[in-house]
Amino acid sequence: MNFISGGVCAAKGFSANGIHCGIRKNRTKRDLSLIMSDVPATAAAVYTTNLVKGAPLVVTKKHLENNTAQAIICNSGNANTCNANGIEIAEKMCDALSKKIGINPNDIVVASTGVIGQPLDIAPIANGIPSLVDGLSKDGGEFAAEGIMTTDTIKKEVAVEFQIGGKICRMGGIAKGSGMIHPNMATMLVFITTDVNISGEMLQKALSTDITNTFNMLSIDGDTSTNDMVVVLANGLAENEKIVADNDDFKLFMTALNTLTVQLCRMIAGDGEGATKLLECKVSGADSLDTAKTVAKSVVCSSLLKAAMFGADANWGRVLCAIGYSGAKVDVNKVGVCFKSAKGTIEVCRNGAGVDFSEETAKEILLEKEIEILVTLDSGEYSSAAWGCDLTYDYVKINGDYRT
Amino acid sequence: MNFISGGVCAAKGFSANGIHCGIRKNRTKRDLSLIMSDVPATAAAVYTTNLVKGAPLVVTKKHLENNTAQAIICNSGNANTCNANGIEIAEKMCDALSKKIGINPNDIVVASTGVIGQPLDIAPIANGIPSLVDGLSKDGGEFAAEGIMTTDTIKKEVAVEFQIGGKICRMGGIAKGSGMIHPNMATMLVFITTDVNISGEMLQKALSTDITNTFNMLSIDGDTSTNDMVVVLANGLAENEKIVADNDDFKLFMTALNTLTVQLCRMIAGDGEGATKLLECKVSGADSLDTAKTVAKSVVCSSLLKAAMFGADANWGRVLCAIGYSGAKVDVNKVGVCFKSAKGTIEVCRNGAGVDFSEETAKEILLEKEIEILVTLDSGEYSSAAWGCDLTYDYVKINGDYRT
């Protein structure tokens, strides 16, 4: 498994583009993205569990009933959610694209991200589609990644190359993260493309399985978005023998997908709104996978621990506290905690109580950009990881007046 | 029902004090409090559901098995939690007090609040107890309220006067709030005293019922503390006919208790760590009490909405988002939202979609210190309220380096 460049255009037969069409006032910010497969692709998706669902999700879900799609269009700057005419606008986006590229609107995935509850004007999108389509290229993955950004400070794209049955396969993805990130059986906006030949059923199985250990173990701020969606398009151009069952090829595919999604999780968490640090909580020794996951997620969700990490303060009592209220059944007298970074590892808690440690060394470790919180439960063989970020002044600043 | 002064000393037969004994470095900050009844009192308590429980809670729970107590001792500056010798220290606190005042250690409630996981030295407490006891007075409620403060910026005390069966009764309480506040079937530190004559069973019933609508509907930061505890002492000196059943007198008692606890909730929320605003979400028209509560609590817990309120930004989409992921079954197409303060009320959402409103008026309303978020679900007759506060730079500052 090798990381390669190219993002969503890394796989055979995919092109992309992103432009500024005018939804945003800032003319230097791309706000409309397109990802296109040369041929119809097998598609799978997962969606937010928030009862308030963005209109584009409703339309996309309908379009993907046949597990087929050829294009993904997504705007930023407006979520097209909680608007009376939301469905109509999402459908108009598909219709306008359909007319320009000559594919069925039913084969288009539509997504929107940005502020909730402000009507989305179709005019700039409709006017922008011709140049959006004309500019499609194999080098456009980066532009597409930029076009879906909201408060993200870095664009998030990743791609991998691997082999299935002797055929070179590629898979790439882009993500939009930053705020309102606390996926629950679904996730933020992630678009993944691959040239692997795989059935719709197995593609959906791969995605639905993968997210339980990746995007669903990620939290920026505890707010589950209304517009979360992960979509995978697999166009089959790698010409491997079609994956139709849970065999070795499927396992290879799952590994590739997981490599990609873990990387995207880390990128999203590290670039959480206002974040200065990526936090990863690794839980081991749990009596069940559920316990491991519940504990890991509770720790990365704690506002108090997140603020302590911002201050590089080894306040491990807050880790214990978050484990204690997680809802998982844990023997707190067996819990151990270490903090780890590129500067080393320090043990701060053993058997549920503090151990003597050097505050100076702890500070040095916690001043790094990527922090691991290692929790041992000493009660079994299960482990899990969750990703998050620190809580900072800038999170408050960004969200104190997001709309203006 | 009249509000009166005196806090925990308002009721007959109670005295209190608070001193600086030396747990904290700052010599101007009281760190040890005592509340004392002239006679043994009926006692009831509720505790945190966090699996990590402060040692003082374990000791107190044991001491209250007979529903009787005469004194409450509480230190701030150290939570005495996650320490190998925690129980021993909590017992020593009771023993030292017991020797000085000549009551059974079993009749003492012990509590601690502050940083988790640092051994608590008994020396300053043992040395401080003589002057703590000698200084007990009817005017000492304020000192006791100060002695339990951590990052609180204002002391929280309240008292009410009412009649039961022609007898004048009084009830007073103090609270310690600020951070790690997300009570779950229990709460932060609250000590309530009353001279009402009531059985242990009915006192516990009153408390356990009341908290489901008061302290359990309060959140500062989503972190359920390890040291949450509410204790009520009722010494019977008002000489009303003893309340032993769910009769009219009990209802009067419940009303008094609820008046007091709602007031303490508002004080705790308004003085949340770093808070500049008190938020109250009032939900009506719910199909069940559970739905009303779940929705109200989800709204006041949303980091994104809390940050928007700090910025006086009428970003009602975040209210809808928090309702949508709350887990309650709600018809989102029927939801209405208004923002209300001393400056007026403004409707921002109807039937799940935005309505035209003046951003200027909304700003004026949201710049106030106390904001009500009114949510209508239009699906039934149940209603509920929850309290919280805004998320500010100062919350991050306070928690970025709490221990040093």
Side-chain angles (χ1 to χ4, degrees), chain A residues 196-251:
Chain A
V196 170
N197 192 14
I198 183 169
S199 72
E201 193 190 340
M202 294 314 289
L203 187 61
Q204 186 66 52
K205 182 175 175 182
L207 179 61
S208 298
T209 307
D210 182 73
I211 60 158
T212 62
N213 299 310
T214 57
F215 299 117
N216 282 0
M217 295 305 289
L218 166 68
S219 185
I220 301 295
D221 51 14
D223 282 274
T224 300
S225 165
T226 54
N227 287 44
D228 285 348
M229 167 159 51
V230 195
V231 177
V232 188
L233 299 190
N235 68 11
L237 295 181
E239 297 183 341
N240 59 296
E241 191 183 335
K242 192 170 188 172
I243 301 171
V244 294
D246 192 345
N247 54 19
D248 285 353
D249 287 356
F250 183 70
K251 284 182 183 64

Side-chain angles (χ1 to χ4, degrees), chain B residues 122-161:
Chain B
I122 190 66
I125 299 173
N127 294 337
I129 281 177
S131 66
L132 182 70
V133 172
D134 294 342
L136 276 171
S137 88
K138 286 296 287 178
D139 301 324
E142 194 174 337
F143 296 154
E146 285 175 17
I148 64 172
M149 288 164 69
T150 53
T151 50
D152 307 65
T153 64
I154 56 162
K155 62 175 180 288
K156 298 166 186 71
E157 52 171 1
V158 59
V160 292
E161 188 174 272

Side-chain angles (χ1 to χ4, degrees), chain A residues 41 103 162 174 205 331 393:
Chain A
I103 66 170
F162 50 103
I174 60 175
K205 182 175 175 182
D331 182 346
Y393 299 126

Side-chain angles (χ1 to χ4, degrees), chain A residues 81-294:
Chain A
T81 299
C82 299
N83 297 324
N85 69 346
I87 302 276
E88 185 190 326
I89 296 291
E91 282 173 347
K92 279 187 178 167
M93 283 173 70
C94 296
D95 289 345
L97 180 62
S98 155
K99 272 178 198 143
K100 172 70 184 166
I101 55 176
I103 66 170
N104 193 317
N106 195 44
D107 287 342
I108 296 171
V109 167
V110 58
S112 297
T113 181
V115 65
I116 298 172
Q118 287 184 0
L120 174 61
D121 187 4
I122 188 67
I125 298 172
N127 294 337
I129 281 176
S131 67
L132 182 70
V133 172
D134 294 343
L136 277 170
S137 87
K138 286 295 288 180
D139 302 323
E142 194 175 338
F143 297 155
E146 286 175 19
I148 64 172
M149 288 165 69
T150 54
T151 49
D152 307 66
T153 65
I154 55 159
K155 62 175 180 290
K156 298 166 184 74
E157 50 172 1
V158 60
V160 291
E161 188 174 272
F162 50 103
Q163 290 200 9
I164 293 183
K167 301 288 183 182
I168 292 174
C169 300
R170 298 195 180 99
M171 186 185 294
I174 60 175
K176 172 266 160 194
S178 226
M180 210 177 264
I181 303 287
H182 181 81
N184 184 13
M185 305 309 290
T187 181
M188 68 306 312
L189 288 182
V190 175
F191 304 127
I192 297 171
T193 57
T194 180
D195 44 25
V196 170
N197 192 14
I198 183 169
S199 72
E201 193 190 340
M202 294 314 289
L203 187 61
Q204 186 66 52
K205 182 175 175 182
L207 179 61
S208 298
T209 307
D210 182 73
I211 60 158
T212 62
N213 299 310
T214 57
F215 299 117
N216 282 0
M217 295 305 289
L218 166 68
S219 185
I220 301 295
D221 51 14
D223 282 274
T224 300
S225 165
T226 54
N227 287 44
D228 285 348
M229 167 159 51
V230 195
V231 177
V232 188
L233 299 190
N235 68 11
L237 295 181
E239 297 183 341
N240 59 296
E241 191 183 335
K242 192 170 188 172
I243 301 171
V244 294
D246 192 345
N247 54 19
D248 285 353
D249 287 356
F250 183 70
K251 284 182 183 64
L252 283 171
F253 183 81
M254 285 290 293
T255 304
L257 183 63
N258 188 253
T259 304
L260 198 87
T261 54
V262 165
Q263 208 52 26
L264 289 172
C265 279
R266 294 177 61 93
M267 291 170 92
I268 292 170
D271 190 37
E273 277 180 341
T276 68
K277 284 176 205 301
L278 165 67
L279 307 182
E280 180 169 9
C281 179
K282 289 180 170 170
V283 174
S284 62
D287 61 355
S288 73
L289 185 59
D290 256 8
T291 296
K293 285 179 157 186
T294 302

Side-chain angles (χ1 to χ4, degrees), chain A residues 50-52 223-224 302-304 307-308 311 313 315 318 320-321 324-325 328 352 359 391 393 396-397 399-400 402-403, chain B residues 50-52 82 223-224 302-304 307-308 311 313 315 318 320-321 324-325 328 359 391 393 396-397 399-400 402-403:
Chain A
N50 196 314
L51 292 181
V52 178
D223 282 274
T224 300
S302 160
S303 290
L304 286 167
D313 178 15
N315 198 328
R318 294 179 179 171
L320 270 277
C321 179
Y325 67 65
E359 290 281 352
L391 176 62
Y393 299 126
V396 178
K397 187 174 182 188
N399 289 300
Y402 172 70
R403 297 184 314 153
Chain B
N50 196 316
L51 291 182
V52 179
C82 299
D223 282 273
T224 299
S302 160
S303 291
L304 284 168
D313 179 14
N315 198 330
R318 293 178 179 173
L320 269 278
C321 179
Y325 66 65
E359 290 281 352
L391 176 62
Y393 299 126
V396 178
K397 187 175 181 183
N399 289 299
Y402 172 69
R403 296 184 312 155

Side-chain angles (χ1 to χ4, degrees), chain B residues 4 7-9 19 21 23 77 101 107 109 123 126 159 162 177 187 213 234 242 249 263 275 332 334 366 393 399:
Chain B
I4 57 174
V8 284
C9 296
I19 63 165
C21 75
I23 300 165
I101 56 178
D107 286 342
V109 168
F162 51 102
T187 180
N213 299 310
K242 191 170 189 171
D249 287 357
Q263 209 52 27
V332 293
K334 288 179 165 181
L366 294 179
Y393 299 126
N399 289 299

